[in-house]
Amino acid sequence: MSAEKVIRLKVKRKDQMDSESYWEEFAIPYRPNMNVISALMEIQRNPVNAEGTKVRSVAWEYNCLEEVCGACSMRINGKVRQACSTLVEKLEQPIQLEPMETFPVEKDLVVDRQRMFDALQKIKGWIPIDGTYAMGSGPLISSREQQEAYKFSTCMTCGCCLDACPNVNSGSPFIGPQALAQTKYFNMHPTGKLTKNERLEVVIGDEGISNCGNSQNCVEVCPKDIPLTTALAELNHEANRYALWSWLKK
């Protein structure tokens, strides 16, 4: 194969959670309009490294292939992004693929994002209703509120914002920008407001907004362009008011 028709990939690999990471390089045939997932699928079909040695296929996660599920988040040439929407022809080679560093690495490019789901539980990321009987139409929401809420509803729990945030790490209790933005989202809902104070208790706690350093990395990498920093600023203002009100009430 000529050099023009070969894609070179350097993959940071890990055989299991407690093993050391190592780099392995692959050379795969180029096809027009290939994305990173297509390149990984080529390795899956023929797991032979650049030296011609047959190796274990690379492990990674994917589902929708349409930038909807958020499963294929990884670091591509140092930047966290979605592999399904990243075209190889726009990347400098060799293309370096690494797992997100904020989360425990399970195998190769597969990480455990459980901390994100734990955070959603802490902020009660749901609308509480009594589902034992039909409750009729829900409360009316203005079109302006619908448009604002829709931006936050597109969150895929992909983990990009947490991986880019310097304040989210194994030594910090910070729940991160994703959970805080979802706090704003659920507090906007007329029914969600019924448990608004419970969410704000988390926001003003040790895991909450005080840990945000306003680096704005999160909004830079969000694949859905969710206005995370705007949400954090508004939530910070609301949290301060709630904290003052709680102190005066004592």
Side-chain angles (χ1 to χ4, degrees):
M1 289 184 291
S2 63
E4 294 78 20
K5 295 185 178 181
V6 171
I7 299 295
R8 303 193 75 86
L9 297 172
K10 280 186 69 177
V11 183
K12 192 172 187 181
R13 310 199 64 180
K14 194 171 188 178
D15 295 327
Q16 52 192 17
M17 290 191 73
D18 57 352
S19 62
E20 293 294 323
S21 298
Y22 61 95
W23 289 94
E24 190 155 47
E25 190 163 344
F26 297 87
I28 62 170
Y30 167 78
R31 295 194 315 273
N33 302 317
M34 286 181 76
N35 58 17
V36 171
I37 292 293
S38 300
L40 288 168
M41 285 179 171
E42 285 291 338
I43 297 174
Q44 189 177 55
R45 279 190 283 269
N46 184 31
V48 175
N49 64 21
E51 298 175 354
T53 304
K54 190 172 182 62
V55 296
R56 174 177 59 78
S57 181
V58 177
W60 82 98
E61 290 185 295
Y62 71 102
N63 190 11
C64 71
L65 301 179
E66 296 179 340
E67 205 178 69
V68 174
C69 71
C72 64
S73 303
M74 61 183 70
R75 289 193 173 192
I76 302 173
N77 284 358
K79 180 181 178 181
V80 63
R81 57 202 303 184
Q82 300 292 288
C84 64
S85 56
T86 303
L87 299 178
V88 298
E89 58 195 24
K90 294 185 177 181
L91 298 171
E92 184 178 339
Q93 293 191 46
I95 301 169
Q96 293 193 4
L97 304 182
E98 304 171 72
M100 292 188 288
E101 294 183 352
T102 295
F103 307 94
V105 180
E106 294 185 341
K107 191 173 187 179
D108 294 342
L109 304 173
V110 179
V111 298
D112 180 3
R113 290 179 289 178
Q114 185 61 43
R115 69 178 295 165
M116 298 188 74
F117 303 104
D118 291 343
L120 287 175
Q121 284 190 316
K122 290 172 183 175
I123 60 112
K124 299 186 184 298
W126 56 80
I127 302 298
I129 60 172
D130 183 348
T132 59
Y133 62 96
M135 301 177 69
S137 305
L140 293 177
I141 305 175
S142 71
S143 59
R144 183 190 62 79
E145 290 174 318
Q146 289 175 6
Q147 289 297 318
E148 185 179 5
Y150 176 74
K151 299 173 187 176
F152 297 98
S153 72
T154 60
C155 177
M156 305 181 291
T157 320
C158 66
C160 289
C161 61
L162 270 73
D163 194 62
C165 178
N167 299 307
V168 177
N169 53 67
S170 59
S172 168
F174 187 32
I175 58 176
Q178 174 254 358
L180 292 176
Q182 290 300 293
T183 298
K184 171 181 167 58
Y185 172 55
F186 287 105
N187 282 355
M188 288 174 62
H189 192 281
T191 307
K193 287 179 181 177
L194 297 175
T195 48
K196 177 179 180 178
N197 289 352
E198 294 179 47
R199 297 189 185 96
L200 289 176
E201 283 290 339
V202 179
V203 175
I204 66 174
D206 294 337
E207 301 169 294
I209 195 79
S210 62
N211 292 282
C212 176
N214 197 32
S215 67
Q216 303 191 29
N217 289 8
C218 55
V219 75
E220 292 292 332
V221 301
C222 179
K224 291 301 182 181
D225 295 322
I226 298 171
L228 295 168
T229 50
T230 301
L232 292 171
E234 292 176 2
L235 199 59
N236 186 47
H237 177 69
E238 193 168 6
N240 286 331
R241 290 178 58 189
Y242 175 75
L244 179 60
W245 173 78
S246 299
W247 178 76
L248 291 173
K249 197 175 65 169
K250 291 180 179 178

